[in-house]
Amino acid sequence: MVKIFKRSVLFIIVFILFTVSASAKNLNSMYQVSTINALMQGVYDGDVTIKTLQEQGDFGIGTLNGLDGEMVVVDGKFYQVKSTGKIELLKAEMETPFANVINFKADKVGEIAWARNFSELEKQLDAIIEDKNYIYAIRIDGTFTGKTRSIPAKEQPYPSLMEAAKTQSVFDIQNTKGTIVGFWCPDYIQGINVTGYHLHFISADRKSGGHILSGAIRTGKVQVARVREFKMILPSSMAFQNAALNKDYSKELNIVEKSK
Amino acid sequence: MVKIFKRSVLFIIVFILFTVSASAKNLNSMYQVSTINALMQGVYDGDVTIKTLQEQGDFGIGTLNGLDGEMVVVDGKFYQVKSTGKIELLKAEMETPFANVINFKADKVGEIAWARNFSELEKQLDAIIEDKNYIYAIRIDGTFTGKTRSIPAKEQPYPSLMEAAKTQSVFDIQNTKGTIVGFWCPDYIQGINVTGYHLHFISADRKSGGHILSGAIRTGKVQVARVREFKMILPSSMAFQNAALNKDYSKELNIVEKSK
């Protein structure tokens, strides 16, 4: 009877899904600074402080003015993964050109068992998310193996994100306990935010992390919050006013998000 | 010397532009219910009440549950232009499947002089708006001649907006004093809201109005607010969850917005 489970199945998907049904009516307001296309175009200075982000959420991702590293926000703590690999707590007066935060409250929880690569991880998360017409905040606490990156700060005149990403530091992370923090956005958010998964990592000891380029999860506890309120602040800077925001940068974005 | 003004120029653009510069830093938060693609797909029931809209703005446009007519919000008064042509004040407990409201505070003011058709009106407004990377709320107080429409309420199962619009009533409005209320959105808002101009009209005597299909303005005072905060609420309904929101409905939307 056990034979009906083919061997390969053992390597693919084993997850348990619970629905915390009562909380599915949460608005789960996500607060966003600027648009991804503005970031793609080199709009690296914003006028929103970390203090403002702290008022809007306790969980999220982003970057800092000048594209100075990767932001990871978890349990109300705001971290900067620098391009040196060092992780520091952000100061309230620092500013961000692009960030997404939310007061994280899970609507659904699940388990990841052996997602051997990023595409398997995506498939397992897809099955937990289900309804694909909302944005989702995603938290995974588990053991991560993979590559992350952080980009060193840039000077004016700013290069595009495609150019800037060529200077990224890549970190090789092995069997490290920590938290994956990020979002999933539907295609209709294209131009405004990254469509699909956009995940950052921070280790439990807060000594490694960054934007996830690729990776695997041995075991992980997944928590997902369905976003029903989306709040976006647009910068008033000349750089934002002059950026070409209406072009389709999907291809470039895919390179920037995944290339090592 | 007067000859340098060609005759044709007299018929095209004569407007004066003042910049109320101090207020350009306003966030001008726009509150939106659902997405235009959900409305295109027949998601005509929302769970946001007029009472909630009243808390979010005093100016805007939208429709009512069941696609029951055109909403016009001006000076804090919420009107429904019914498909019979009758205009009624909305009740606080009524609900909307799609609406945009803002607490209107002009950043810029200007004048429209003889915009002979909708395309001339658009050109004159374009020159006032300038920076095209933001959403704008637009108010014109003036004398309007043109065609407006309102769609009668639909029953479940709801048809698409393309189908529903075929049952619209069209109103012929002649030299009527009133207010044009609406928004302009950049292309990167595609799928989320109507790109370009989306304007409704209500007469000063509150006896005629609707969604503007075409029209001319003899003279009009323009007020424009640049939206830097965009807040969108997504419905929790099964209809919204199941709608095909990622398709490009630009062509269909253009027909729905302009066809008489």
Side-chain angles (χ1 to χ4, degrees), chain B residues 136-203:
Chain B
Y136 288 86
I138 295 161
R139 174 178 181 148
I140 311 172
D141 292 279
T143 306
F144 175 75
T145 295
K147 289 195 193 301
T148 64
R149 71 103 183 278
S150 177
I151 301 174
K154 296 289 165 254
E155 302 282 339
Q156 297 267 14
Y158 290 136
S160 71
L161 190 53
M162 271 289 273
E163 282 306 308
K166 290 176 184 165
T167 69
Q168 70 188 8
S169 306
V170 176
F171 311 115
D172 205 354
I173 295 176
Q174 294 292 331
N175 278 315
T176 302
K177 281 200 175 166
T179 305
I180 290 175
V181 173
F183 294 89
W184 180 90
C185 291
D187 285 348
Y188 69 80
I189 301 294
Q190 193 227 310
I192 290 173
N193 203 327
V194 177
T195 59
Y197 294 96
H198 181 190
L199 306 174
H200 288 190
F201 175 75
I202 190 160
S203 64

Side-chain angles (χ1 to χ4, degrees), chain A residues 83-250:
Chain A
S83 64
T84 57
K86 225 187 138 188
I87 297 181
E88 293 186 357
L89 277 171
L90 290 170
K91 294 187 183 110
E93 68 274 15
M94 290 171 82
E95 289 173 320
T96 177
F98 184 78
N100 294 276
V101 295
I102 184 172
N103 281 308
F104 192 85
K105 244 172 105 177
D107 291 320
K108 284 185 178 180
V109 298
E111 298 279 341
I112 297 282
W114 207 351
R116 291 176 304 175
N117 53 48
F118 203 75
S119 127
E120 281 192 18
L121 175 60
E122 287 181 329
K123 270 186 205 140
Q124 294 192 33
L125 290 174
D126 279 350
I128 295 172
I129 285 178
E130 293 182 303
D131 307 330
K132 296 296 175 62
N133 281 341
Y134 302 90
I135 296 169
Y136 288 87
I138 295 161
R139 175 179 180 148
I140 311 173
D141 292 279
T143 306
F144 175 75
T145 294
K147 289 196 192 302
T148 63
R149 72 104 184 277
S150 177
I151 301 174
K154 297 289 165 254
E155 302 282 340
Q156 298 267 15
Y158 291 136
S160 72
L161 190 52
M162 272 289 273
E163 282 307 307
K166 290 176 184 166
T167 69
Q168 69 187 8
S169 306
V170 176
F171 311 115
D172 204 355
I173 295 176
Q174 293 292 330
N175 279 314
T176 303
K177 281 199 174 165
T179 305
I180 289 175
V181 173
F183 293 90
W184 180 90
C185 291
D187 286 349
Y188 69 80
I189 302 295
Q190 192 226 311
I192 290 173
N193 203 327
V194 178
T195 60
Y197 294 97
H198 182 191
L199 305 174
H200 289 189
F201 175 74
I202 189 159
S203 64
D205 64 7
R206 306 308 191 228
K207 289 196 169 157
S208 60
H211 169 104
I212 297 179
L213 296 169
S214 64
I217 304 257
R218 180 97 60 76
T219 58
K221 185 191 163 208
V222 182
Q223 297 179 76
V224 160
R226 187 179 74 169
V227 173
R228 281 191 52 218
E229 181 174 294
F230 173 73
K231 198 165 140 188
M232 174 169 66
I233 304 293
L234 302 176
S236 61
S237 65
M238 285 303 290
F240 183 85
Q241 285 173 35
N242 295 329
L245 303 185
N246 295 322
K247 279 164 63 183
D248 180 357
Y249 298 108
S250 314

